[in-house]
Amino acid sequence: HVQLVESGGGSVQAGGSLRLSCAASGYTGSYCMGWYRQAPGKEREGVARMSPGGSLTYYADSVKGRFTISRDNNNQMAYLQMNSLKPEDTGVYYCTIGDWDAGSCDAAFLWGQGTQVTVS
């Protein structure tokens, strides 16, 4: 049974930091891990993704320089360190797994249940 479980969300004031964690289980192979978010009334958007070995990362322009994705393959974990948070970062954050194909991360095909991040 494949499962992604996020944790670490919460409420924070603008300028603050949060660290999201994602525990993956039941899935093997080489895969990208990533984070998406969905703000109220808006479409879901990709925030960050990382290649299987961690050498390649992709960030949305809106979070570059503020967010850092990382992963611990030994423990099937992914993290999203979020600094200098802004109110527009508010939303539900989802951990994802996606294919690694021809040197790039494809669209996510496995999703966690999400964790709420609120920045005021």
Side-chain angles (χ1 to χ4, degrees):
H1 176 65
V2 180
Q3 192 173 18
L4 297 174
V5 179
E6 302 97 336
S7 61
S11 297
V12 65
Q13 291 189 336
S17 298
L18 283 173
R19 187 190 192 213
L20 305 183
S21 298
C22 172
S25 61
Y27 190 81
T28 60
S30 184
Y31 52 87
C32 296
M33 294 194 77
W35 294 89
Y36 285 67
R37 69 184 179 189
Q38 187 164 22
K42 295 187 177 181
E43 292 186 357
R44 195 174 293 184
E45 65 169 341
V47 174
R49 289 175 291 169
M50 176 171 271
S51 61
S55 60
L56 293 179
T57 56
Y58 310 84
Y59 293 97
D61 288 342
S62 58
V63 306
K64 282 181 182 177
R66 301 188 298 122
F67 289 13
T68 303
I69 186 172
S70 61
R71 61 190 294 173
D72 176 358
N73 287 337
N74 289 331
N75 294 299
Q76 291 191 288
M77 295 290 296
Y79 305 95
L80 186 67
Q81 178 67 42
M82 305 185 295
N83 298 328
S84 302
L85 283 161
K86 305 176 181 179
E88 51 263 44
D89 294 319
T90 294
V92 178
Y93 283 70
Y94 300 89
C95 177
T96 66
I97 281 179
D99 279 327
W100 172 247
D101 183 37
S104 65
C105 288
D106 286 348
F109 60 84
L110 289 175
W111 297 76
Q113 291 299 307
T115 184
Q116 176 70 44
V117 171
T118 303
V119 185
S120 60

